Amino acid sequence: MSPVRTFIAVEISQDVRLNIERWVRSLRHKVSGVKWVETHNLHVTLKFLGDVAADEVPKITDVIMKAVAQAEPFELEFFGCGAFPNAKAPRTLWVGCRDGAEPLTRIVSIIDGVLAQHGFPKETRPFSPHLTIGRAKHKVADMTALLVAKQSELFGKCRVTETVLFSSNLTPSGPVYKKLADLPLR
């Protein structure tokens, strides 16, 4: 069996998707050289697992399910925006998470800890709660002005009651995500 490229994420509400889609639609006309995330693919990545042996997926699912069941459901607010490494030389464009970022960060820590016991490397960088909306395909012009205009924008809230294990199949037209398991919080 071939390996399955996997990641753990939080899905977002349709309202948040539509609010972000409206903004991204306006950016498409102002910024070139960015591969925008398709609206239906928007999510908050908690941990990228990479290639997992297909026969290991059920075991990993069980481990993650037990881990996230320790966490209480919470509200997650999508607020502001930015770019990694910065707006002057953006590589990744994102919408931020404000209220709810702390419980989300705790869940990431729990997941990282239990998966480290099963051979997955721990993250070396601190978790920065965000939702990726686009990636620069090559050097993109300074986006400071465009991002400053939305730094105080509320894109909406959603109730987080579960995390999701996804597979990711990379295709020439973009990634195709498939839900492998819902992983409910307490």
Side-chain angles (χ1 to χ4, degrees), residues 7-115:
F7 65 94
I8 304 161
V10 167
E11 292 186 294
I12 63 172
S13 68
Q14 190 61 20
D15 288 345
V16 173
R17 281 182 202 285
L18 293 175
N19 289 336
I20 292 171
E21 179 184 38
R22 278 191 282 278
W23 180 46
V24 167
R25 198 176 313 126
S26 74
L27 289 176
R28 287 179 195 268
H29 304 293
K30 298 173 187 170
V31 181
S32 63
V34 173
K35 171 68 174 130
W36 300 102
V37 175
E38 296 294 330
T39 304
H40 64 275
N41 279 344
L42 291 172
H43 63 272
V44 179
T45 302
L46 304 181
K47 182 154 179 87
F48 178 73
L49 303 177
D51 289 335
V52 174
D55 60 345
E56 289 291 311
V57 170
K59 181 173 89 173
I60 295 304
T61 301
D62 188 52
V63 166
I64 301 165
M65 191 173 293
K66 289 175 183 168
V68 299
Q70 301 172 45
E72 296 284 339
F74 60 96
E75 292 289 320
L76 184 59
E77 182 180 73
F78 294 90
F79 181 86
C81 60
F84 296 132
N86 59 58
K88 289 185 186 288
R91 298 292 302 149
T92 301
L93 303 170
W94 50 263
V95 167
C97 299
R98 190 169 64 173
D99 293 348
E102 190 175 304
L104 190 65
T105 301
R106 279 195 301 272
I107 290 171
V108 168
S109 180
I110 291 167
I111 290 170
D112 207 32
V114 298
L115 288 177

